[in-house]
Amino acid sequence: MPRFAANLTMMFNEHAFLDRFQAAAAAGFTAVEYLFPYDFPAELIAGKLSEAGLKQALFNLPPGDWAKGERGLAALPERRQEFRQSVKKAIDYGRTIGTPLLHMMAGIASPDDPAAQGSYRDAVAFAADAAGAEGIGLVIEPINGRDMPGYFLDDFDRAAEIITSLGHSNLKLQFDIYHRQVMRGDVLTALQAMMPLIGHIQIASVPKRHEPGTGELDDFRILRELDRLGYEGYVGCEYRPAAETTAGLDWLKNL
């Protein structure tokens, strides 16, 4: 079975954020991811990882004003300078924390807007170059419009085309099984076709985004397929526990 990373934004919410690292390690995880580390000094996060014996799998670039509904800056041409500053901040954090991957959110914009399209492609290229200079990978993720209405990157084929056409060796696809199923289904076929482009995978059950194995998909068959396809990265557990986090980890213990 693949290696799993606990998503500390969604999991272990019974604890304060800085205490979730030890909680994840105690539950048997060897790696973690989360949305954003920027409320805390990078050195503090690095220390928590070290104390818990954990690896960092991934975190996101700053998204703008999350509380006001912003979900990234890349597709917003009027925010170009702010976006570039956010790339620098993420890389500074990534260097200290030791992350192999950064996820770049696209923002709320029409995918049919030529200005947004141009801004996004330019942003992806800029961020991939900047991250690559530090030996860090960059991933982009299609997100479904039910969970995030108006999100610019809402199509897997478009994401794959952008990655292929830009041609940066450190630019990959973040394939979220939950989002794929909500958007288009056909999860196994898409994984098989897109595996050469995939840099990170996330999982949650559909439709309630709870523990794997509790929804409409055969999540365990999908996980076995990842092994067959030779996927070697982490699978981020980006799900909302149905109850207390550790009480819902039988799915992982029984693999």
Side-chain angles (χ1 to χ4, degrees):
M1 281 293 168
R3 300 177 296 162
F4 294 98
N7 187 294
L8 299 187
T9 301
M10 291 192 171
M11 300 175 71
F12 300 102
N13 278 213
E14 302 84 4
H15 307 275
F17 179 74
L18 292 177
D19 295 329
R20 295 174 197 170
F21 294 84
Q22 284 289 356
F29 286 96
T30 59
V32 296
E33 62 179 38
Y34 38 76
L35 291 184
F36 313 110
Y38 309 109
D39 286 341
F40 305 95
E43 295 79 7
L44 180 57
I45 299 289
K48 292 296 180 182
L49 284 163
S50 179
E51 290 168 11
L54 294 167
K55 299 287 188 182
Q56 182 72 47
L58 165 142
F59 60 83
N60 293 355
L61 273 67
D65 193 332
W66 186 269
K68 292 184 177 179
E70 293 185 338
R71 295 296 183 265
L73 304 172
L76 310 179
E78 70 278 9
R79 307 285 288 278
R80 182 171 183 262
Q81 199 57 40
E82 185 181 350
F83 168 77
R84 294 194 166 199
Q85 287 300 314
S86 79
V87 172
K88 181 181 184 303
K89 183 174 184 177
I91 290 172
D92 287 345
Y93 265 75
R95 187 187 304 114
T96 299
I97 292 172
T99 188
L101 288 175
L102 292 169
H103 168 227
M104 189 189 87
M105 298 192 75
I108 305 300
S110 170
D112 298 320
D113 179 2
Q117 294 170 4
S119 176
Y120 185 70
R121 284 181 177 269
D122 176 75
V124 174
F126 176 85
D129 281 338
E134 296 290 337
I136 298 173
L138 183 76
V139 289
I140 58 174
E141 176 190 27
I143 296 177
N144 80 80
R146 186 175 74 191
D147 284 56
M148 199 170 287
Y151 192 70
F152 176 80
L153 189 62
D154 62 353
D155 182 82
F156 275 78
D157 289 340
R158 192 181 328 123
E161 185 279 323
I162 290 168
I163 292 166
T164 302
S165 64
L166 289 177
H168 289 67
S169 61
N170 68 321
L171 175 62
K172 298 289 184 179
L173 176 69
Q174 182 165 306
F175 191 109
D176 188 302
I177 292 163
Y178 168 83
H179 288 305
R180 173 69 192 196
Q181 176 67 4
V182 173
M183 274 190 244
R184 289 188 58 181
D186 209 15
V187 171
L188 289 176
T189 300
L191 282 169
Q192 292 159 5
M194 296 182 176
M195 185 54 65
L197 301 179
I198 293 174
H200 188 62
I201 290 173
Q202 293 176 322
I203 193 168
S205 68
V206 182
K208 293 186 177 181
R209 208 167 186 175
H210 290 328
E211 286 85 350
T214 62
E216 65 191 34
L217 289 176
D218 185 345
D219 294 309
F220 304 111
R221 180 183 177 192
I222 293 169
L223 293 171
R224 289 193 298 272
E225 181 67 6
L226 296 183
D227 283 344
R228 192 190 72 78
L229 292 171
Y231 177 68
E232 297 181 348
Y234 287 106
V235 174
C237 299
E238 196 184 38
Y239 66 80
R240 300 184 186 94
E244 194 270 338
T245 302
T246 55
L249 288 177
D250 283 349
W251 72 270
L252 187 56
K253 297 174 184 176
N254 293 332
L255 287 176

